[in-house]
Amino acid sequence: MERYRKTKIIAEVAQGFEGNPYLANLLAKAAVASGANAAKFQLVFADELCVKTYPYFDFFKSLEMPIKVWQGISSYIKTNKCELYFDIYGPKSLSWAKKLNADGVKISTTDFNNSWLIDNAVKTFSNVLISIGGVEPEEMNSLWDKLGDYTNKVTFMHGFQAEPTLVKDNHLLRLNTLKKKYSGIKLGFMDHSLGSDELSLYLPILSLGFGLECIEKHISLDQLLEVEDYISALSPSKFKKMVQLIRKLESGIGSDDIRPTKKELEYKLKSGKVVVAAKNLKKYTRVTDKDLLLKRVTTKPEPKYLRKFDQLVNKELLCDIMKDEPFTMSSIR
């Protein structure tokens, strides 16, 4: 039996700090103020991502910040009871994430086949997010088998970034397929829909019904600033609204136990029909289904009233029963 549990909401800063410590600190504050459970930054070192001749090497280099800056951000986030996650890309970012007391790390789809990085991440951290956007089923099968007992540390993140990703391209039903195929799998959703579109508030809510561990959504100070990763990002106020909507609605997921709850049973009893006589019936009459009807008799039907025809059909009456009078077990033999 699976029960509702609070979904972790991750405010994805990504590269939105643009290598600027002041901007990075503002975004950390925005993530905390929004009510997110965690803030996530890309911990970038250019030489871990690409070769020097790569067209964006200098841009990635500009995203690097001193460890003291990150230590300040880590301290602020932890002091405010928020979790800290980093995207990592190699040995150096893995090592720094550990030094910065990160609660977890994320590995992108581009490193899905980086067995060294995944192996060391799951051995170092209790929470590892692995993106699966664009991953072939055969690749997923292979990694699942390799993880073995470490699968309980991993949350596989569904979604991809198309700057922005159209709502129709999210294919949330794949989450059900993954749950059926991999017993005990933990899943999350990365929403990269257009941040300026109202639907970007509601797509994460739609994903809740699939029993997710976490939801990740970009956060930016303002769409008008057009800083890195702004296209899929929500402003702090809209991000806070999304968090509030999720918290109000997610309890509706409830449990997958099909047995009715106490409240459901009370409702059924209160509004339920009981078996009554379709006409006046004499003592010793052998009851047939034509003698019976289901009707409401009171807003608080007594438990002794019978509710099923098969409890009465072919039974002999022990007393006279008037039309619309409810039956009890003492009425028959």
Side-chain angles (χ1 to χ4, degrees), residues 32 39 54 63 82 98 109 131 142 174-175 180 221 225 246 253-254 256 261 265 276 280 291 301 311 317 321:
V32 169
Y54 186 70
L63 296 175
C82 192
K98 184 178 179 181
T109 300
S131 298
S142 178
R174 291 180 185 173
L175 294 164
K180 290 176 183 177
L221 296 179
L225 297 177
I246 288 173
I253 298 168
D256 64 359
T261 64
L265 291 172
V276 300
N280 293 338
D291 299 322
Q311 293 175 297
L317 294 181
I321 299 290

Side-chain angles (χ1 to χ4, degrees), residues 218-256:
H218 282 264
I219 189 169
S220 185
L221 296 179
D222 194 315
Q223 284 259 332
L224 295 176
L225 297 177
E226 296 190 359
V227 297
E228 275 298 309
D229 293 316
Y230 81 93
I231 292 177
S232 301
L234 298 177
S235 67
S237 60
K238 286 186 72 174
F239 200 101
K240 185 174 184 177
K241 181 179 179 181
M242 181 193 73
V243 172
Q244 291 171 339
L245 286 170
I246 288 173
R247 293 296 174 235
K248 287 178 181 178
L249 294 170
E250 66 180 344
S251 62
I253 298 168
S255 165
D256 64 359

Side-chain angles (χ1 to χ4, degrees), residues 123-136:
K123 289 177 180 177
T124 306
F125 294 94
S126 297
N127 299 297
V128 178
L129 311 178
I130 300 180
S131 298
I132 56 174
V135 170
E136 296 285 352

Side-chain angles (χ1 to χ4, degrees), residues 119-175:
D119 185 52
N120 282 275
V122 297
K123 289 177 180 177
T124 306
F125 294 94
S126 297
N127 299 297
V128 178
L129 311 178
I130 300 180
S131 298
I132 56 174
V135 170
E136 296 285 352
E138 296 77 16
E139 294 177 300
M140 183 66 187
N141 291 340
S142 178
L143 178 58
W144 181 262
D145 292 338
K146 288 177 183 177
L147 285 170
D149 294 338
Y150 287 113
T151 54
N152 65 330
K153 288 187 172 187
V154 175
T155 299
F156 293 92
M157 303 296 291
H158 172 72
F160 72 104
Q161 174 64 288
E163 295 188 290
T165 304
L166 300 179
V167 170
K168 68 178 182 179
D169 290 333
N170 281 282
H171 301 291
L172 293 177
L173 281 176
R174 291 180 185 173
L175 294 164

Side-chain angles (χ1 to χ4, degrees), residues 66-84:
I67 196 165
K68 286 187 177 181
V69 173
W70 288 118
Q71 286 170 337
I73 291 170
S74 175
S75 177
Y76 173 80
I77 288 174
K78 295 302 186 71
T79 300
N80 284 277
K81 298 180 180 179
C82 192
E83 294 183 358
L84 176 63

